[in-house]
Amino acid sequence: MTFRQVPISSRSRKNAGRSALAITMGVALAASVVACSSSGGAADTSDTGSGAGTADTPKATIAMITHEVPGDTFWDLIRKGAEAAAAKDNIELRYSSDPEAPNQANLIQTAIDSKVDGIAVTLAKPDAMGPAVDAATAAGIPVTAFNSGFDSWKDMGVQQYFGQDETIAGQAAGARLTADGAKKTLCIIQEQGQVALESRCAGVKQGFTGGGTEILNVNSKDMPSVEATITAKLQQDPTIDHIVALGAPIALTAVQSKANAGSNATVVTFDTNAALVDAIKSGDVAWAIDQQPYLQGYLAVDALWLYINNGNTIGGGTPVLTGPAFIDETNIDAIAEYATNGTR
């Protein structure tokens, strides 16, 4: 699918051009990986329901471990992509998650102890995850990272990374806010200390030259408190004219908070789900930045299959970018079909 990049301010055009080039290269790499993995190794011709056969390579077991917060539908898309790759690649996928980094590290150790063939992991808090990743590589288990850990995966000895540069994504959002005429933005971080989220808001601050940006920390494990906190902030400061959410559930909650506070602020967000797509269509949310979580989950598993069976690595030591791309009223209809299917 092709996304139209929405024009940004001339001041940011040079950096945006470099970002667009990197994104194009990353998406092209991702597309080539999918094509390569679909034909790599022998495959049967049985119908799995998705139109793809199943590889006849030896059965492998891959653990996927994420920092999912229960109830966040973003992770459903990650998991569906991973399951699609596993079904095609004759892989037993063991998915587990915990939003707390020490617990996530324990899940990695459990996977090591069970002698899995590969591990795909998110690195939301790299410092806490480092020893567990080291233990996996010391045990000879290949590790891919995805979604979080863009700035640290390589130093941690991880083979491959699939996701977006969150700082560049934030800068693109900030440039878009400037072009939209924003004057004061509120950037909402739903998990304090999560490096990807911190980088997004830092990027927004860098890219937004039309006014000021304030950070608001909330706890996504308690959505009623999220709604109350955003409502209170909007009531306290009526000069806030744009709300930047970092996930679809937070954006949809911000829409309700805006109504509670009687605010006229425009809501924009990172990441999508089916309900968020509907919100863009209705005008409740102006636009979203899509990092293609389904693709991240798919590639994280498929890349391990390629390495296990053919020694392949993807990206030549550089990350494979899956975003960012803008979704707004101009292209939402093209996305809606896939959101209905639960894959966007």
Side-chain angles (χ1 to χ4, degrees), residues 47-266:
D47 185 0
T48 63
S50 63
T54 302
D56 67 356
T57 48
K59 187 81 170 182
T61 301
I62 289 177
M64 172 169 277
I65 299 157
T66 76
H67 61 280
E68 173 184 353
V69 175
D72 188 343
T73 53
F74 175 87
W75 299 100
D76 296 340
L77 303 177
I78 292 275
R79 190 168 181 174
K80 282 189 175 183
E83 289 172 345
K88 178 183 68 65
D89 293 340
N90 193 29
I91 284 171
E92 177 189 344
L93 181 69
R94 298 179 183 174
Y95 180 94
S96 59
S97 63
D98 198 291
E100 301 299 328
N103 296 337
Q104 194 182 356
N106 289 337
L107 291 173
I108 293 178
Q109 187 59 54
T110 297
I112 296 169
D113 294 340
S114 66
K115 301 186 186 305
V116 298
D117 298 293
I119 296 174
V121 65
T122 58
L123 301 172
K125 296 179 179 177
D127 291 343
M129 300 294 289
V133 172
D134 288 343
T137 55
I141 300 173
V143 179
T144 60
F146 65 100
N147 180 260
S148 295
F150 178 90
D151 294 320
S152 55
W153 67 277
K154 197 169 183 181
D155 291 339
M156 295 174 69
V158 173
Q159 285 188 349
Q160 301 160 87
Y161 180 85
F162 306 97
Q164 69 181 0
D165 182 328
E166 301 292 359
T167 300
I168 287 178
Q171 290 169 347
R176 175 75 180 258
L177 290 164
T178 302
D180 289 348
K183 298 302 179 186
K184 185 169 185 180
T185 65
L186 183 69
C187 194
I188 303 170
I189 297 177
Q190 68 262 31
E191 185 181 344
Q192 194 167 1
Q194 211 266 58
V195 292
L197 303 182
E198 302 279 356
S199 294
R200 287 180 180 181
C201 280
V204 169
K205 280 188 171 184
Q206 293 167 13
F208 177 47
T209 60
T213 301
E214 185 173 348
I215 306 296
L216 179 68
N217 287 290
V218 298
N219 179 9
S220 62
K221 298 175 188 174
D222 184 359
M223 292 305 287
S225 76
V226 172
E227 181 178 327
T229 301
I230 298 173
T231 298
K233 184 62 181 177
L234 294 175
Q235 289 172 333
Q236 173 195 348
D237 187 354
T239 66
I240 295 169
D241 58 10
H242 281 72
I243 302 167
V244 182
L246 304 185
I250 303 300
L252 296 170
T253 300
V255 170
Q256 184 58 53
S257 295
K258 168 185 167 179
N260 296 343
S263 169
N264 292 319
T266 298

